[in-house]
């Protein structure tokens, strides 16, 4: 299916569903939506960081420290997190630990994001349509990468919230 045709929820500032819309319309008009974000770590505590594929409609070739995705109509945050973990990086049957849910207000991706953490339980198998590079970085290496590279701004916001740091 063309991702622009996928049905997703438009939500308000309190995460109440307003209506179901095509993902393309939501993206075209910067409508608030539901999303998930999973911070994966390896057994050494390093964070999985990846660069988004060039074909991505929003933030192509940007770096990201989260495996993330929009919540489609008919799915819960938890269901989407489990599906995205399997689809994007091949992590099935992982224990997802919820960390919180935060609102991000900036365009082009205003959203409510449910954030999780998980430990990688097997080989990382990135979906080529989603991920063109990945590595595990220490927190210090990630901070350096954030300073030097273009990261998805919503992900940086969520990462700072998790670390209880002020936005830079």
């Amino acid at each position: 299916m063309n991702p622009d045709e996928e049905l997703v929820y438009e939500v308000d500032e309190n995460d109440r569903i307003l209506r179901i819309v095509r993902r393309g319309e939501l993206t075209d008009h910067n409508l608030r939506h539901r999303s998930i974000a999973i911070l994966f770590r390896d057994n050494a505590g390093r964070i999985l960081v990846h660069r988004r594929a060039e074909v991505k409609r929003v933030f192509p070739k940007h770096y990201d420290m989260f495996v993330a995705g929009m919540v489609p109509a008919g799915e819960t945050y938890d269901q989407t997190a489990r599906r995205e973990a399997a689809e994007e990086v091949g992590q099935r049957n992982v224990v997802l630990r919820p960390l919180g849910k935060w609102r991000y207000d900036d365009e082009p991706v205003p959203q409510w994001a449910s954030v999780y953490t998980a430990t990688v339980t097997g080989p990382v198998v990135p979906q080529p349509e989603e991920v063109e590079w990945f590595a595990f970085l220490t927190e210090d290496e990630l901070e350096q990468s954030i300073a030097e590279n273009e990261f998805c701004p919503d992900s940086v916001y969520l990462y700072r919230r998790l670390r209880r740091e002020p936005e830079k």
Side-chain angles (χ1 to χ4, degrees):
M1 172 194 281
N2 175 350
D4 281 348
E5 297 301 318
E6 182 179 22
L7 297 177
V8 294
Y9 297 118
E10 178 187 1
V11 297
D12 69 11
E13 63 277 352
N14 296 307
D15 195 26
R16 289 186 302 251
I17 296 170
L18 298 173
R19 62 189 176 129
I20 295 174
V21 297
R22 285 182 314 98
R23 183 178 179 150
E25 177 185 353
L26 186 126
T27 303
D28 288 345
H29 299 288
N30 302 326
L31 303 175
R32 187 180 318 280
H33 60 278
R34 289 179 172 174
S35 68
I36 61 91
I38 308 165
L39 188 77
F40 275 103
R41 293 182 182 266
D42 66 8
N43 287 329
R46 296 176 304 170
I47 297 168
L48 176 65
V49 176
H50 68 278
R51 187 172 55 238
R52 293 165 58 87
E54 187 171 8
V55 298
K56 296 294 286 181
R57 188 164 177 208
V58 178
F59 302 127
K61 297 188 79 64
H62 279 59
Y63 290 83
D64 203 333
M65 70 286 286
F66 290 101
V67 169
M70 284 188 195
V71 176
E75 277 190 8
T76 65
Y77 285 107
D78 290 348
Q79 289 169 328
T80 299
R82 187 149 309 284
R83 182 180 48 72
E84 291 286 349
E87 286 178 3
E88 285 196 27
V89 290
Q91 298 302 298
R92 290 168 172 67
N93 302 317
V94 295
V95 176
L96 294 169
R97 292 177 295 285
L99 300 175
K101 187 172 88 169
W102 292 289
R103 192 175 83 199
Y104 179 76
D105 291 321
D106 294 346
E107 292 184 1
V109 288
Q111 63 190 278
W112 273 98
S114 187
V115 182
Y116 304 81
T117 189
T119 302
V120 170
T121 59
V124 174
V125 182
Q127 184 179 23
E129 303 83 30
E130 301 277 342
V131 175
E132 61 181 38
W133 170 91
F134 76 92
F136 285 95
L137 304 180
T138 66
E139 290 189 13
D140 288 343
E141 291 168 335
L142 175 55
E143 286 299 329
Q144 182 177 348
S145 188
I146 291 170
E148 295 173 357
N149 298 296
E150 284 191 287
F151 272 74
C152 297
D154 53 332
S155 293
V156 173
Y157 169 80
L158 294 172
Y159 183 68
R160 299 272 182 248
R161 289 289 307 254
L162 288 178
R163 293 176 51 106
R164 293 182 170 82
E165 295 177 11
E167 290 183 68
K168 294 182 180 177

